[in-house]
Amino acid sequence: MPQVTLFQLNDTHGYLEPHPELHWKAHGPELSVMGGFARIAGILNAARQETPGGVLVFDNGDTFHGTPAVTLSKGEAAVPILNALGLSAMTGHWDFAYGPAQAARLSSLLDYPFLAANCHPLTEEAPRFPPTTVCKANGLSIGVIGLAATILDKTMPPSFSAGLRFTDGIEEARAHAARLRAEGCGLVVVLSHLGLPQDCALAEAVDGLDVILSGHTHNRLESPWIVNGAIIIQSGCHGSYLGRLDLTVEHGRITSHSHSLIRSCRECGGNCRAAGSGHVTLAPVRPR
């Protein structure tokens, strides 16, 4: 039975270094120094040593914009740091803030794909982003569908989406999930920047999704939400938290999972976990 560990990093907004982050304790709100990509790298490297060949790490986007270092460089200052993390794929939202051409340039500098299945070019000159990728972990093929923020051409400045059209991703996810299954993928994961409510709607509308890594709304989910069989997690923002999802897979089914919302904080160096850790056994899903 393959054992697979998925890590999620979402909505870092250019916070490359440790910073004060607000969180809640029993007595009320408190600031702690959290995050920083060096600390994140330490957490990921420890997990890879623990489970060689079984760890995949995904970035939900809002990565290349937010702090002076990344904004003044149009996102490029973050590229070598991100490549050093050994990520498997990303999608985006504010990553289009410098225009689609620069988003395409940033994607070309990465060692992993920038996925956007719901991004459709309107002109021949508009950039194209791959819709899916297939990752390997412990011998298991994992199909990944990327969904960028659907609001890019609706509520953001027009320059963000010039020459592009963005949908809610439902039809694209349905078609790509079926194709990836037919091509032999044992799991289908959606890497989304739609936001938690829309990701729940996506799970309701599309059968056969195993995991949705959710971004955009900065929710700190201490336990996964399970909607129509899909395990949905989201892990705060600014790199202050990482989501870890450990999966046991048998015959194309997730038979059990364990989730942790990991605090990337100075006091513990990433070795403590927020509430909500635990092991959950799922009822088998219908055969595919």
Side-chain angles (χ1 to χ4, degrees):
M1 292 185 292
Q3 306 288 322
V4 176
T5 298
L6 306 182
F7 274 94
Q8 174 195 43
L9 184 65
N10 62 277
D11 299 278
T12 56
H13 288 284
Y15 279 69
L16 304 179
E17 299 184 22
H19 59 275
E21 185 78 24
L22 179 70
H23 58 274
W24 291 86
K25 292 193 172 182
H27 61 269
E30 183 174 292
L31 285 174
S32 293
V33 176
M34 301 180 71
F37 275 70
R39 190 171 292 138
I40 290 166
I43 296 170
L44 298 178
N45 289 340
R48 289 173 172 133
Q49 291 175 6
E50 172 191 330
T51 313
V55 175
L56 298 174
V57 186
F58 298 98
D59 177 4
N60 282 82
D62 274 3
T63 304
F64 292 114
H65 188 279
T67 60
V70 294
T71 304
L72 293 174
S73 66
K74 296 186 176 180
E76 296 187 20
V79 168
I81 299 169
L82 293 165
N83 283 338
L85 291 181
L87 304 179
S88 296
M90 74 172 291
T91 189
H93 172 206
W94 277 91
D95 315 278
F96 286 85
Y98 318 108
Q102 180 64 5
R105 171 170 165 74
L106 290 168
S107 70
S108 74
L109 298 174
L110 298 173
D111 294 339
Y112 50 91
F114 186 113
L115 305 177
N118 60 331
C119 174
H120 301 282
L122 298 175
T123 67
E124 286 298 321
E125 297 76 23
R128 285 155 174 76
F129 301 90
T132 65
T133 191
V134 176
C135 304
K136 298 282 189 178
N138 275 345
L140 185 71
S141 293
I142 300 172
V144 183
I145 304 166
L147 297 178
T150 187
I151 64 172
L152 273 160
D153 61 343
K154 301 169 182 67
T155 64
M156 308 304 290
S159 60
F160 283 40
S161 60
L164 301 175
R165 177 177 65 89
F166 292 84
T167 71
D168 62 13
I170 290 175
E171 294 303 321
E172 293 90 341
R174 185 177 289 125
H176 287 301
R179 174 182 60 80
L180 290 165
R181 288 287 182 194
E183 292 174 355
C185 290
L187 283 181
V188 174
V189 174
V190 176
L191 179 61
S192 167
H193 203 95
L194 299 179
L196 187 59
Q198 286 186 271
D199 286 323
C200 291
L202 177 75
E204 288 281 9
V206 181
D207 294 333
L209 302 179
D210 295 299
V211 175
I212 299 178
L213 303 177
S214 177
H216 181 55
T217 42
H218 297 199
N219 299 92
R220 300 173 187 169
L221 293 189
E222 295 180 348
S223 298
W225 291 8
I226 300 178
V227 179
N228 192 22
I231 302 169
I232 304 175
I233 68 170
Q234 193 176 136
S235 309
C237 60
H238 304 152
S240 297
Y241 295 84
L242 288 138
R244 174 172 176 161
L245 188 61
D246 294 290
L247 305 173
T248 301
V249 184
E250 187 173 8
H251 305 303
R253 305 175 183 177
I254 298 174
T255 55
S256 67
H257 74 271
S258 179
H259 169 259
S260 300
L261 181 63
I262 301 174
R263 292 180 58 186
S264 176
C265 59
R266 180 174 60 187
E267 290 79 6
C268 67
N271 293 319
C272 71
R273 300 183 179 190
S277 299
H279 187 79
V280 180
T281 300
L282 298 178
V285 299
R286 59 183 175 280
R288 295 183 171 87

